[in-house]
Amino acid sequence: GSIDQLVELVAADMERVNATILSRTGSDVTMIPEVANHLISSGGKRLRPMLTLAMANLAGYAGEGHVKLAASVEFMHTATLLHDDVVDESELRRGRLSARMVWGNEASVLVGDFLLGQAFRMMVEVGSLRALDILSSAAATIAEGEVMQLAAAKNTATTEDEYLAVIRGKTAELFAAACEVGPVLGGRPKAEQTAAASFGMNLGIAFQLVDDVLDYGGKSAKLGKNVGDDFREGKITLPVVLAFRRGNDVEREFWVRALEQGKIGDNDLNHAIGLMTKHRALEDTLNRAHHYGAMAVDALALFPPSPMKGALEQVVAFCLARSH
Ligand code: 2DE
Ligand code: MG
Ligand code: MG
Ligand code: MG
Ligand code: MG
C-alpha cells in the first residue's frame, strides 16, 4: 500500500490547495504565520485534504469549491494538532519540537483558533451550506471525542466500546467529513454521500487504531513522536483495554498503579509492552484495524472502477502498513 498513486492523481489540485493554505495562514500578526508554518511545512502527508480532492473527483465535480474545502480540512486538522499537543503535553510532532515547546501553550492554542476561524471563512466562501454543516458538525464532534477521552483518562475500567466512541469522534469524524463533502459538492445521490462518509469513518478508525499501536510498538525516530506518550499520560487506548482485560490480578495492579496513579518507573513502559505482547494486545488491535480497513474498501463498492478508486484502496493499505 502506498499513497503515491493518490498523490499523483490529485497533484494539480493539491498545488492550488497548497497555495491557498499559504495565503490563508498570512497575517500581519507575524507570530501567526510563524507558528502555523512550523507545523504546516513540517512534511505532513496532507492525507485528509487529498481525500476531499479524491472524493470530489470521484463524484465528477467540475467546480472550484473542492480546493477551498480541502484547505479548510487541512486547517481544521492543523488546529486539532496544535491543541492536541497542548492537551497531551507532547514535545515532538513530525520529528520536530511541537509548536508549544517553541512558542508556548498559549500561542499554540490561539493560532489553532485562528486556523479554525480561517477554515470556516473558506467554507462560507464555497457557499455549500451542506458542506458547512458537515465540517462544522465534525469540529464539534472532534472536541466531544477529546472530552470523552479526558473523562476516560486514567480509568482502567474503560471498555472497548467507550474507546471506539472516543476515536470515532477525535479522529475518524474528520476523515469522514473530508470524504463526504466531495459527493456533496458534486450534487451526487445521498447513497454516494453516505458511502464516502463511511469510507472515511472506517479508514479513520483504522488509522487511529494503528496510531495507538505505534505509541507502544513503533520507533520514535520513524514516528516523529515519542513512543510511550500515551502510557505516560495514562491514556486508555485499545492495547491497554485488551491487556488489562486479559491480565491476571498482579498485572491489573500494575496497570492501575501506572495509569490511574501515574506511578511510573524507568522500566515500566517496557513492562507494559511485555504484557501487551504476552496477551497479543497489539496484534489484536491491528486485527481490528484490518477489519475497519476492509469495511472502508467495501464502502467504495458503489463507485465504478477507476484509477482514483484504486488509489483510495491503496490508501487503506498504506494506513494499515504504517504499523510495520
Ligand atoms: C489524535 O489523537 C486526535 C486528535 C484530535 C485532537 C483534537 C482536539 C480538540 P492522538 P497523536 C485537541 C480541538 C478541536 C478542534 C480544533 C476542532 O493520539 O498521537 O493524541 O498524533 O494523536 O498525538
Ligand atoms: Mg496527541
Ligand atoms: Mg491526543
Ligand atoms: Mg497517538
Ligand atoms: Mg498521543
Side-chain angles (χ1 to χ4, degrees):
S2 131
I3 56 171
D4 295 352
Q5 200 185 339
L6 178 64
V7 168
E8 198 179 309
L9 288 173
V10 302
D13 277 344
M14 202 59 205
E15 244 175 75
R16 299 170 64 205
V17 173
N18 288 335
T20 305
I21 286 174
L22 195 67
S23 79
R24 300 299 174 115
T25 47
S27 166
D28 293 340
V29 181
T30 52
M31 193 190 267
I32 289 175
E34 265 175 45
V35 174
N37 291 329
H38 172 80
L39 194 52
I40 287 175
S41 62
S42 63
K45 298 176 292 298
R46 311 256 156 117
L47 190 53
R48 295 160 188 80
M50 284 200 294
L51 291 174
T52 300
L53 299 176
M55 285 298 181
N57 173 286
L58 216 55
Y61 177 65
E64 300 279 313
H66 62 316
V67 171
K68 279 181 182 168
L69 287 189
S72 300
V73 165
E74 187 64 6
F75 274 16
M76 283 177 66
H77 176 54
T78 306
T80 67
L81 294 185
L82 285 167
H83 289 185
D84 183 66
D85 286 339
V86 172
V87 170
D88 291 346
E89 300 182 21
S90 297
E91 295 176 3
L92 286 183
R93 169 70 61 189
R94 294 175 181 161
R96 303 183 178 192
L97 284 179
S98 58
R100 74 179 198 94
M101 297 302 286
V102 184
W103 289 277
N105 284 343
E106 299 90 337
S108 289
V109 169
L110 296 170
V111 173
D113 292 339
F114 173 85
L115 293 176
L116 200 57
Q118 291 291 68
F120 287 114
R121 283 168 99 172
M122 284 190 278
M123 291 173 216
V124 170
E125 287 168 17
V126 170
S128 162
L129 207 49
R130 180 76 189 114
L132 179 62
D133 178 28
I134 291 164
L135 288 165
S136 58
S137 299
T141 303
I142 293 165
E144 272 178 343
E146 281 288 314
V147 177
M148 260 192 276
Q149 177 175 264
L150 191 63
K154 304 181 193 308
N155 180 5
T156 54
T158 303
T159 65
E160 181 163 0
D161 282 350
E162 287 164 344
Y163 163 84
L164 269 174
V166 167
I167 70 169
R168 279 177 185 277
K170 76 169 187 173
T171 302
E173 189 68 27
L174 184 56
F175 278 85
C179 289
E180 188 176 5
V181 295
V184 165
L185 278 183
R188 302 298 301 167
K190 186 76 188 167
E192 283 185 28
Q193 299 175 21
T194 307
S198 169
F199 171 80
M201 175 61 67
N202 286 301
L203 175 62
I205 293 171
F207 185 92
Q208 187 62 45
L209 285 164
V210 169
D211 184 82
D212 291 343
V213 166
L214 290 172
D215 215 277
Y216 287 93
K219 294 270 170 291
S220 294
K222 197 174 159 206
L223 219 51
K225 305 186 271 199
N226 282 323
V227 166
D229 268 1
D230 290 348
F231 182 68
R232 285 182 285 270
E233 275 167 42
K235 197 181 278 180
I236 312 297
T237 58
L238 189 58
V240 171
V241 173
L242 296 180
F244 183 82
R245 191 204 283 163
R246 295 168 183 178
N248 59 34
D249 286 351
V250 175
E251 292 170 8
R252 287 183 181 201
E253 264 173 48
F254 163 78
W255 290 114
V256 168
R257 171 174 61 77
L259 298 172
E260 297 198 3
Q261 298 162 11
K263 293 179 191 155
I264 296 178
D266 280 346
N267 196 43
D268 283 350
L269 176 60
N270 283 328
H271 185 63
I273 293 169
L275 293 179
M276 286 175 177
T277 306
K278 173 183 173 189
H279 294 294
R280 299 183 180 279
L282 296 175
E283 204 179 308
D284 282 345
T285 301
L286 282 181
N287 287 337
R288 306 279 205 282
H290 279 267
H291 165 78
Y292 286 101
M295 295 212 287
V297 171
D298 270 348
L300 296 176
L302 86 176
F303 297 100
S306 69
M308 190 63 86
K309 179 173 163 173
L312 288 169
E313 287 167 355
Q314 283 195 38
V315 168
V316 176
F318 167 81
C319 289
L320 294 170
R322 291 198 309 146
S323 58
H324 48 74

